[in-house]
Amino acid sequence: MLEPIRDYFIHNGEALKIETFDHSLFKDRNTIYEVIRLMSGKAVFLEEHIHRLMDSLKISGIDNIADPASVPVYINKLIDVNPPGDGNILFCVTKADWHSHLMTWFVEHHYPSVMDYQNGVKIRSLKAMRSNPAAKVWNAHLRKKASYLKESAKVFEILYVDNNKNITECSKSNIFLIRGNRIFTPPANVVLPGITREKIFMLCRQHGIDILETDIPFNDLMLYESAFITGTSPKIVAVKHIDNIRFNPANAILRALMQAYDELLAEEIK
């Protein structure tokens, strides 16, 4: 699991020093998790994250071991016992033989820079897919593989390509493509239902933007004019390259969505 930072983590409601964090709790066990962004002291879209956490537990067959009401309580306690400051919070549920572990802690975050938002980021493709994309389950092997490629290729994200040579999702984000006045994205059944992804659909409905879920062959990527990724940490960020394929990061629809999402975040924080 991701290393805890700051002073304390919360384990089944108890605040403990991070020096006592035990990684063996997660060995050979399914761990369902959420990463929640803290902005201006508020856990953004917390209700949506809790809902997805419960869905992931049910899909993974380990439901009825976490009370949804405990999540905001633990997160608020985590915020209270640590030094102030925004960032990313990880909340996870791991089932042991006789009981379960509900834990939350701060993790390192890497947000796009001002230049990334302005000029777009680079992405590298990887033939891989998660076995159960609908559930947010920790996959140490795939995460390590994606992190290694990301670092060695010096790119912002890794785009997964499945056995049918269709793109699905990125290692930590969802992907969208633009052609003409329409937005395209892989179907919900092959990707993690991202919280920001759902907000994109909502904003498209509000602004009269046509958006379509469909299979997207990797070999057809050059047919699209622009691309962007979405997620808890990046929000909405333009893509300028996928491998050697170039995209336009200044697309008007993309820029309008970026502004609309920032306005939505401002309302959420307020």
Side-chain angles (χ1 to χ4, degrees), residues 243-264:
D243 294 346
N244 294 322
I245 306 169
R246 292 182 60 88
F247 297 92
N248 174 22
N251 181 278
I253 293 177
L254 167 56
R255 292 292 154 177
L257 275 177
M258 291 173 71
Q259 181 178 342
Y261 185 73
D262 283 342
E263 292 170 356
L264 181 66

Side-chain angles (χ1 to χ4, degrees), residues 78-213:
L78 177 73
I79 295 169
D80 289 341
V81 298
N82 279 289
D86 291 342
N88 283 3
I89 292 172
L90 186 146
F91 189 97
C92 71
V93 180
T94 300
K95 185 177 181 181
D97 293 334
W98 306 108
H99 59 284
S100 57
H101 302 283
L102 278 67
M103 304 173 67
T104 185
W105 61 89
F106 281 97
V107 293
E108 290 284 355
H109 59 268
H110 303 283
Y111 302 144
S113 67
V114 174
M115 294 300 290
D116 289 334
Y117 285 118
Q118 181 177 330
N119 301 327
V121 297
K122 295 180 180 180
I123 288 179
R124 176 75 180 269
S125 66
L126 172 67
K127 186 177 180 181
M129 58 185 300
R130 295 189 301 116
S131 58
N132 193 354
K136 198 170 177 67
V137 182
W138 185 262
N139 185 327
H141 174 73
L142 182 56
R143 191 180 185 94
K144 185 176 181 180
K145 187 175 183 179
S147 295
Y148 175 79
L149 180 57
K150 188 188 303 183
E151 185 176 339
S152 60
K154 294 182 172 56
V155 294
F156 185 84
E157 253 289 27
I158 300 300
L159 174 63
Y160 297 150
V161 181
D162 67 16
N163 294 332
N164 296 318
K165 298 183 180 179
N166 292 324
I167 66 169
T168 56
E169 58 190 349
C170 295
S171 65
K172 299 179 182 179
S173 55
N174 294 113
I175 188 162
F176 297 79
L177 296 125
I178 303 174
R179 184 170 63 216
N181 294 320
R182 303 182 78 186
I183 297 178
F184 301 83
T185 193
N189 66 320
V190 299
V191 303
L192 180 72
I195 306 300
T196 312
R197 180 182 187 272
E198 293 305 313
K199 301 301 180 184
I200 293 299
F201 277 86
M202 182 191 75
L203 290 172
C204 285
R205 289 192 297 269
Q206 291 178 353
H207 293 266
I209 300 171
D210 194 12
I211 185 166
L212 177 66
E213 291 181 288

Side-chain angles (χ1 to χ4, degrees), residues 1-129:
M1 291 297 290
L2 296 175
E3 290 287 340
I5 60 171
R6 304 197 186 178
D7 296 341
Y8 291 91
F9 68 99
I10 307 299
H11 185 179
N12 291 339
E14 184 180 1
L16 302 172
K17 282 282 192 179
I18 63 170
E19 292 82 3
T20 65
F21 189 84
D22 184 6
H23 282 279
S24 67
L25 293 176
F26 311 101
K27 188 177 181 181
D28 300 324
R29 292 173 179 154
N30 269 359
T31 297
I32 310 301
Y33 73 104
E34 287 288 322
V35 175
I36 302 154
R37 185 162 177 177
L38 191 68
M39 300 181 72
S40 299
K42 178 172 182 178
V44 177
F45 302 132
L46 180 57
E47 183 178 342
E48 290 89 337
H49 280 286
I50 294 172
H51 181 76
R52 187 172 66 179
L53 177 74
M54 296 301 133
D55 281 349
S56 293
L57 288 169
K58 185 175 182 179
I59 292 168
S60 302
I62 54 174
D63 52 339
N64 300 322
I65 66 172
D67 179 5
S70 67
V71 180
V73 174
Y74 287 13
I75 287 176
N76 286 332
K77 187 169 185 178
L78 177 73
I79 295 169
D80 289 341
V81 298
N82 279 289
D86 291 342
N88 283 3
I89 292 172
L90 186 146
F91 189 97
C92 71
V93 180
T94 300
K95 185 177 181 181
D97 293 334
W98 306 108
H99 59 284
S100 57
H101 302 283
L102 278 67
M103 304 173 67
T104 185
W105 61 89
F106 281 97
V107 293
E108 290 284 355
H109 59 268
H110 303 283
Y111 302 144
S113 67
V114 174
M115 294 300 290
D116 289 334
Y117 285 118
Q118 181 177 330
N119 301 327
V121 297
K122 295 180 180 180
I123 288 179
R124 176 75 180 269
S125 66
L126 172 67
K127 186 177 180 181
M129 58 185 300

